[in-house]
Amino acid sequence: MQEESITSFLDQLASSAPTPGGGSVAALCGAISAALGSMVANLTLGREKYRDVEPEVRAALERAEQLRQRFLGLIEQDIAAYGALSAAYRLPKSTVEEQAARSSQIQAALTGAAEAPLRMVEQARQALELCQALASIGNPNVISDVGVAAITAYAALESGALNVLINLKTMKDRELARGFFQRLSMAQEGADSLKQDILTAVRQKMDVG
Amino acid sequence: MQEESITSFLDQLASSAPTPGGGSVAALCGAISAALGSMVANLTLGREKYRDVEPEVRAALERAEQLRQRFLGLIEQDIAAYGALSAAYRLPKSTVEEQAARSSQIQAALTGAAEAPLRMVEQARQALELCQALASIGNPNVISDVGVAAITAYAALESGALNVLINLKTMKDRELARGFFQRLSMAQEGADSLKQDILTAVRQKMDVG
């Protein structure tokens, strides 16, 4: 999927094919956020003016690169998990035995289908925290790009969360579902105000209020 | 740019090259939103169950396809406008005449650099309104994708707005800047609550509260 052209990815997204869909989009938003984070770090490093924050910026760049790779991996993981779930739904259900086997396959596949977007939410939270750091140590000439990085990280977080919830809904093992809910809440907690704080800092540095 | 692979686009985004940057990302988010809108429409059309809304869904599909093409065009327009602005900043400024020529070139280029992201904001507002329609007429099995479409449309709107503001800041013709501000306010007005309303409707249809 990553080697597809943007046009071809969008064509596939727009089609009635089941993947890519909203899950892939969540991970792609995360990868975009991380790449913008790298850009800001790359435009800060090696400049005399920002020499005293160089170690922090270098660490931020490493972090951004790592996050981008994780998000790209999650695009594939999400498509694979969705494929497994679709295959389980297509299993035969004529006999009682078939129905039981199908149901247990669906339940197993739901775990994977919830795990992939949950990881996106968790990584998106990390990406937001990276944006917070970059808003203070990054080159102020590209501060609007820090803002766009925060906006896309938050879009990844919100989109991932919808995809977790839709899978948890049909999960029969409520104990398992509760564990997912807890991780989701933890990753989401305070994310909205974190995003707003970053955007306030960005607008102040842009001097547009 | 559209024919680049996703990996290569992200590599260029992450690099210290001036483009692509946050402006291209805003337009890409809009194109992603529109493509998801098309997907939802394509998964609704031709199904007996949704026959009575078929004309509305067909109109939504046409609108989504049109929006996607506009956003893709805006990626290129933004890169070209940014290139013109950078070129103006690189003009010589040794003599008073050179300074005057450079300044007038910069001011002319700023108009283009503000216009491209402003169109993104205006189109993103249209994309949000399309999502509102799809939340009510689209196939409820893909309602989470309507949610992701609304999230990415709003990300395009917010990101575009930051890119308009950064260009208006250095615009000397305050009358011209005021016109841009007015269009920006008009496109942004109520967008936040529109997005929240769509997400509330989506969560209700997902039955996750």
Side-chain angles (χ1 to χ4, degrees):
Chain A
M1 188 52 67
Q2 305 165 32
E3 296 315 316
E4 297 284 344
S5 72
I6 289 176
T7 311
S8 154
F9 173 79
L10 291 172
D11 283 342
Q12 290 178 53
L13 190 59
S15 78
S16 56
T19 55
S24 305
V25 164
L28 180 57
C29 285
I32 288 171
S33 171
L36 275 172
S38 291
M39 180 186 107
V40 172
N42 279 321
L43 287 165
T44 310
L45 283 175
R47 306 201 176 192
E48 195 50 41
K49 227 169 151 183
Y50 313 116
R51 206 182 198 169
D52 48 333
V53 290
E54 183 127 352
E56 290 91 327
V57 178
R58 202 167 291 285
L61 176 58
E62 255 177 56
R63 189 87 189 95
E65 292 293 311
Q66 190 184 49
L67 284 168
R68 174 149 59 110
Q69 292 315 315
R70 288 203 192 147
F71 279 119
L72 286 174
L74 285 169
I75 297 181
E76 312 297 332
Q77 193 182 321
D78 189 71
I79 290 175
Y82 191 92
L85 185 59
S86 297
Y89 272 111
R90 283 193 307 267
L91 285 174
K93 46 176 178 175
S94 312
T95 67
V96 176
E97 289 76 19
E98 281 178 355
Q99 283 163 19
R102 177 174 175 272
S103 172
S104 92
Q105 281 284 81
I106 290 172
Q107 291 303 314
L110 275 172
T111 309
E115 182 67 32
L118 180 52
R119 287 193 189 160
M120 294 172 203
V121 177
E122 290 172 337
Q123 299 303 313
R125 177 55 181 264
Q126 303 282 318
L128 261 184
E129 283 166 14
L130 179 66
C131 292
Q132 188 179 35
L134 286 171
S136 96
I137 60 174
N139 182 340
N141 293 331
V142 283
I143 190 70
S144 68
D145 296 292
V146 175
V148 176
I151 290 163
T152 46
Y154 192 70
L157 186 145
E158 276 191 299
S159 301
L162 283 181
N163 282 278
V164 174
L165 292 173
I166 204 129
N167 287 300
L168 293 189
K169 225 192 92 181
T170 34
M171 199 175 274
K172 284 184 183 161
D173 182 341
R174 297 319 289 168
E175 194 55 46
L176 186 64
R178 223 177 338 266
F180 276 107
F181 275 122
Q182 275 170 359
R183 281 171 61 197
L184 180 61
S185 301
M186 220 154 70
Q188 284 183 306
E189 202 190 332
D192 180 43
S193 51
L194 181 54
K195 177 204 165 194
Q196 296 306 337
D197 289 351
I198 297 167
L199 288 183
T200 302
V202 164
R203 285 195 201 94
Q204 273 168 359
K205 281 209 180 179
M206 280 170 64
D207 196 20
V208 293
Chain B
M1 187 53 65
Q2 305 166 34
E3 295 315 317
E4 296 284 345
S5 73
I6 290 174
T7 310
S8 153
F9 173 79
L10 292 172
D11 283 343
Q12 290 178 52
L13 190 59
S15 77
S16 56
T19 54
S24 306
V25 164
L28 180 57
C29 285
I32 288 171
S33 172
L36 275 172
S38 292
M39 180 186 106
V40 172
N42 280 320
L43 287 165
T44 310
L45 283 176
R47 305 200 178 195
E48 193 51 40
K49 226 169 152 183
Y50 313 116
R51 206 182 197 170
D52 50 333
V53 289
E54 184 126 353
E56 290 91 327
V57 177
R58 203 167 290 284
L61 177 59
E62 253 177 58
R63 190 87 189 94
E65 291 294 311
Q66 189 184 52
L67 283 169
R68 174 150 58 110
Q69 292 315 317
R70 288 202 191 148
F71 279 120
L72 286 174
L74 285 169
I75 297 181
E76 312 297 331
Q77 192 181 324
D78 189 70
I79 290 174
Y82 191 93
L85 185 59
S86 297
Y89 272 110
R90 284 193 307 271
L91 287 174
K93 46 176 178 175
S94 311
T95 66
V96 177
E97 289 76 19
E98 280 178 355
Q99 284 163 19
R102 177 176 175 269
S103 171
S104 92
Q105 281 285 83
I106 290 172
Q107 291 303 315
L110 275 172
T111 308
E115 181 68 31
L118 180 52
R119 288 193 189 160
M120 294 174 203
V121 177
E122 290 171 338
Q123 300 301 313
R125 176 55 182 263
Q126 304 281 319
L128 261 184
E129 284 166 14
L130 178 67
C131 293
Q132 187 179 35
L134 286 172
S136 96
I137 59 174
N139 182 339
N141 292 330
V142 282
I143 190 71
S144 68
D145 295 294
V146 175
V148 176
I151 290 163
T152 45
Y154 192 70
L157 187 145
E158 275 191 299
S159 300
L162 283 182
N163 283 278
V164 175
L165 292 173
I166 203 128
N167 287 300
L168 294 189
K169 225 191 92 181
T170 35
M171 200 176 271
K172 283 184 183 162
D173 182 341
R174 296 320 290 168
E175 194 55 47
L176 185 63
R178 224 180 333 271
F180 276 106
F181 275 121
Q182 276 170 359
R183 281 171 61 198
L184 180 61
S185 301
M186 220 154 73
Q188 283 183 307
E189 201 188 335
D192 182 43
S193 51
L194 180 54
K195 177 204 167 194
Q196 296 306 337
D197 288 351
I198 298 167
L199 289 183
T200 301
V202 164
R203 285 195 200 94
Q204 274 169 358
K205 282 210 177 178
M206 280 170 63
D207 196 20
V208 294

